[in-house]
């Protein structure tokens, strides 16, 4: 058999002011997507769904082509040119002929003109090859429209957050696809989205309220009750009509009733716990003051309002400014995105003392936030190329790049400044620059949950800090215009009636 395998991933924060062009679609040192053999080499041996697809096809002795690997850090709207280019690469490969398609997608990509970019991609594939089976691996934060579901044959989603089961998710989707190709199963997709915006800090299947919902879904799949069962927390920072928590079941045609019962059960559990998916916000100053009382390090301070893993620019400096104002000692902070500051510091050179404005270059007009640089005085401690390979459990083996990176020593606080934004889900963002995290009392990073993959094992304490930004958990700040309404918790009583 001949397969088409492709990877196209982006989580779009529609409130982010940073557009996402084609050049942004590679998290490594190369600008833009990879194609053909280069795409295969970049994916194989990594914790990705595409790697699982590649391994399975090779074990079967079949053929495959990989027209595209395109993976961008979450940010604002994907440009029309970027989407058209990537979609054309995949559709052209499918049009050349294949027995099946396996796609490693995110599920929350919004492109100019397409609120459900993945649904548009699948519709184009279906138009090019009406009968071809399509298996799709999706992120836990996918949002669902009918176009995405109606044009797929199999859908499987990550069961973890942080996402450490990406390879296994690809394997789950591929196994069902292969069973269908062999005539051993007839997949039927059942799905539902609920009128609720969950807070990303309350979504993780590692803890309640999601924990036993996800465990029930995983058990149903494992025990053969259904072919696949996935619960999606959804990406709430996308102002589109189909945002919300979703459940997708792949049932065998011979056991559709069992799939419908499971769908009702999982949706009922989630809706009954809707209030538990709301995150209570502690004022930033209080969180930092509380952290100052902790004596055993390293204490991980997590600024979740400006996280590029959810579309933030990572140049919002308010939390670092407050950390310095309150006098926390032994801090390493970053990485902060500021290419201009990086250039200035490199020009000064290692060992030189410099005073400059860092960050605050990005206005966030959707939330009426103005960028405010932070003036820092320090010594250039280290300059690197920013390249590192992930050693932790999330996207293990992937080669990532911060671009040129500088460590600035500000009276003992190490500030890491980079050319390319990257959520710190792996300690490599610091260790590649020779920073010994065990010797730091505080580690200040911008993240939500993914940091737990690499940093939770070394943390004595974790303190969540509600800094400002387009990733805030305070939904009252966001001018939602395109959500289906009513929706919980924005409209509590009318959402109950709609449900």
């Amino acid at each position: 058999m001949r397969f088409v395998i492709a990877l196209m991933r982006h989580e779009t924060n529609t409130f982010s002011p940073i557009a996402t062009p084609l050049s942004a679609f590679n998290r490594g040192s190369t600008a833009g997507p990879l194609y053909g053999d280069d795409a295969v080499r970049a994916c194989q041996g990594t914790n990705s769904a595409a790697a699982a697809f590649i391994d399975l096809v090779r074990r079967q002795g079949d053929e495959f082509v990989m027209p595209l690997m395109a993976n961008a850090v979450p940010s604002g709207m994907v440009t029309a040119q970027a989407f058209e280019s990537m979609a054309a690469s995949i559709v052209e490969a499918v049009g050349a002929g294949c027995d099946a398609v396996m796609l490693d997608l995110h599920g929350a990509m919004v492109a100019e003109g397409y609120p459900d970019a993945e649904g548009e991609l699948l519709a184009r594939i279906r138009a090019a090859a009406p009968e071809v089976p399509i298996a799709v691996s999706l992120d836990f934060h996918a949002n669902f429209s009918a176009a995405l579901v109606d044009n797929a044959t199999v859908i499987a989603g990550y069961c973890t957050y942080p996402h450490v089961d990406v390879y296994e998710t690809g394997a789950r989707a591929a196994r069902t696809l292969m069973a269908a190709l062999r005539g051993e199963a007839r997949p039927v997709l059942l799905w539902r989205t609920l009128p609720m915006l969950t807070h990303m800090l309350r979504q993780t299947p590692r803890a309640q309220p999601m924990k036993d919902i996800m465990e029930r879904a995983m058990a149903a799949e494992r025990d053969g009750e259904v072919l696949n069962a996935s619960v999606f927390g959804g990406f709430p920072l996308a102002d589109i009509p189909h945002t919300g928590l979703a459940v997708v079941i792949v049932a065998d045609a011979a056991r559709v009733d069992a799939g419908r019962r499971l769908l009702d059960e999982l949706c009922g559990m989630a809706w009954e716990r809707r209030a538990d998916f709301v995150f209570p916000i502690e004022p930033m100053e209080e969180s930092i003051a509380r952290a100052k009382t902790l004596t055993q390090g390293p204490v991980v301070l997590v600024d979740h309002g400006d996280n590029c893993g959810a579309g933030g620019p990572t140049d919002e400096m308010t939390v670092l400014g407050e950390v310095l104002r309150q006098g926390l000692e032994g801090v390493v902070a970053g990485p902060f995105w500021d290419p201009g500051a990086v250039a200035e510091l490199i020009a000064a050179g290692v060992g030189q003392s410099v005073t400059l404005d860092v960050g605050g270059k990005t206005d966030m007009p959707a939330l009426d936030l103005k960028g405010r640089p932070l003036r820092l005085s320090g010594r250039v401690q280290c300059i690197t190329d920013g390249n590192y390979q992930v050693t932790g459990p999330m996207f293990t083996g992937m080669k990532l790049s911060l671009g040129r990176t500088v460590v600035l020593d500000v009276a003992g606080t190490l500030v890491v400044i980079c050319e390319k934004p990257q959520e710190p889900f792996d300690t490599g963002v610091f260790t590649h620059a020779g920073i010994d995290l065990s010797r730091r009392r505080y580690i200040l990073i911008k993240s939500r949950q993914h940091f737990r993959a690499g940093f939770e094992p070394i943390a004595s304490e974790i303190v969540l800090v509600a800094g400002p930004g387009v990733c805030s958990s305070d939904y009252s700040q966001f001018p939602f215009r395109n959500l289906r309404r009513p929706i919980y918790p924005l409209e509590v009583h009318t959402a109950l009636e709609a449900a």
Side-chain angles (χ1 to χ4, degrees):
M1 292 188 291
R2 185 175 189 269
F3 294 86
V4 172
I5 297 172
L7 183 155
M8 185 183 80
R9 288 204 298 247
H10 185 255
E11 184 177 77
T12 305
N13 183 326
T14 60
F15 301 100
S16 171
I18 302 173
T20 309
L22 189 64
S23 60
F25 278 87
N26 194 285
R27 288 188 170 190
S29 56
T30 304
L34 298 174
Y35 305 92
D37 291 342
D38 290 337
V40 175
R41 282 191 289 269
C43 284
Q44 61 190 6
T46 66
N47 184 8
S48 68
F53 298 155
I54 291 168
D55 288 348
L56 179 60
V57 173
R58 283 176 169 167
R59 283 197 300 271
Q60 294 178 167
D62 292 320
E63 299 177 353
F64 73 94
V65 295
M66 189 168 187
L68 181 75
M69 176 192 176
N71 188 14
V73 171
S75 47
M77 194 86 71
V78 175
T79 66
Q81 184 273 334
F83 174 72
E84 295 295 345
S85 175
M86 294 184 294
S89 296
I90 298 171
V91 174
E92 181 180 350
V94 174
C98 63
D99 294 288
V101 179
M102 292 188 281
L103 300 175
D104 184 344
L105 305 179
H106 186 284
M109 179 189 290
V110 181
E112 293 173 327
Y114 301 108
D116 177 14
E118 287 95 346
E120 175 65 18
L121 171 66
L122 263 66
R124 294 185 186 188
I125 292 173
R126 185 61 67 208
E131 302 301 323
V132 68
I134 303 173
V136 185
S137 166
L138 292 173
D139 191 284
F140 173 74
H141 293 107
N143 292 320
F144 283 86
S145 75
L148 178 56
V149 179
D150 291 349
N151 290 297
T153 307
V154 177
I155 289 176
Y158 308 165
C159 299
T160 60
Y161 180 32
H163 308 321
V164 298
D165 67 328
V166 184
Y167 183 97
E168 176 56 30
T169 302
R172 289 166 50 219
R175 281 196 293 266
T176 302
L177 175 70
M178 297 306 173
L181 290 172
R182 292 190 298 265
E184 299 169 357
R186 290 185 296 152
V188 175
L189 284 171
L190 309 170
W191 68 292
R192 188 177 305 154
T193 59
L194 297 177
M196 54 189 284
L197 289 179
T198 58
H199 283 82
M200 297 176 75
L201 286 164
R202 298 287 291 154
Q203 288 179 337
T204 179
R206 297 158 58 110
Q208 301 294 13
M210 183 65 81
K211 186 174 186 291
D212 56 2
I213 301 174
M214 185 65 79
E215 287 177 349
R216 173 69 180 100
M218 295 168 67
E221 180 174 324
R222 183 177 60 249
D223 297 343
E225 187 177 338
V226 294
L227 298 173
N228 297 102
S230 304
V231 182
F232 298 88
F235 185 61
L237 301 178
D239 188 16
I240 52 177
H242 46 275
T243 297
L245 185 147
V247 177
V248 179
I249 305 297
V250 185
D252 192 281
R255 301 192 63 192
V256 171
D257 287 345
R260 291 196 181 102
R261 288 192 296 271
L262 179 63
L263 179 66
D264 289 341
E265 179 184 352
L266 295 174
C267 289
M269 293 172 71
W271 182 247
E272 288 173 3
R273 302 172 184 191
R274 58 194 174 277
D276 297 330
F277 283 100
V278 177
F279 176 74
I281 299 171
E282 179 182 52
M284 173 192 66
E285 297 82 0
E286 294 180 17
S287 300
I288 295 172
R290 178 162 54 86
K292 191 176 180 179
T293 67
L294 302 174
T295 58
Q296 181 66 39
V299 176
V300 178
L301 305 174
V302 186
D303 175 7
H304 53 85
D306 178 39
N307 162 33
C308 70
T314 67
D315 77 338
E316 218 295 324
M317 307 302 291
T318 301
V319 174
L320 176 59
E322 184 65 18
V323 164
L324 295 174
R325 190 190 70 78
Q326 292 199 29
L328 277 67
E329 298 178 347
V331 178
V332 59
F336 297 98
W337 174 60
D338 191 336
V342 168
E344 187 173 344
L345 292 166
I346 290 175
V350 173
Q352 297 302 305
S353 295
V354 180
T355 297
L356 78 168
D357 289 336
V358 176
K361 308 299 195 302
T362 309
D363 294 336
M364 291 166 267
L367 275 64
D368 198 26
L369 292 174
K370 290 285 188 181
R372 294 187 299 169
L374 181 64
R375 174 142 289 212
L376 297 175
S377 295
R379 182 182 62 84
V380 179
Q381 176 174 295
C382 177
I383 299 171
T384 80
D385 60 9
N387 296 332
Y388 64 100
Q389 188 166 16
V390 176
T391 58
M394 181 174 168
F395 298 124
T396 312
M398 282 195 172
K399 295 180 179 180
L400 302 180
S401 177
L402 298 167
R404 295 185 303 172
T405 300
V406 178
V407 180
L408 182 67
D409 187 337
V410 181
T413 292
L414 302 183
V415 181
V416 179
I417 309 164
C418 60
E419 288 184 315
K420 296 172 63 177
Q422 176 62 57
E423 181 176 6
F425 58 81
D426 187 80
T427 57
V429 296
F430 296 121
T431 59
H432 89 276
I435 296 173
D436 184 352
L437 296 177
S438 68
R439 300 174 66 86
R440 295 279 108 188
R441 184 172 174 186
Y442 298 99
I443 304 171
L444 171 58
I445 54 179
K446 292 177 178 286
S447 183
R448 282 186 185 273
Q449 291 285 356
H450 289 327
F451 76 92
R452 294 183 185 276
F455 289 85
E456 191 169 56
I458 66 172
S460 64
E461 299 277 355
I462 293 170
V463 177
L464 301 178
V465 184
V470 293
C471 307
S472 172
S473 293
D474 182 1
Y475 292 163
S476 67
Q477 297 184 31
F478 294 86
F480 289 106
R481 296 185 178 89
N482 301 306
L483 292 178
R484 56 177 174 164
R485 307 299 279 263
I487 192 166
Y488 187 91
L490 301 186
E491 296 94 18
V492 175
H493 298 295
T494 49
L496 300 182
E497 295 170 2

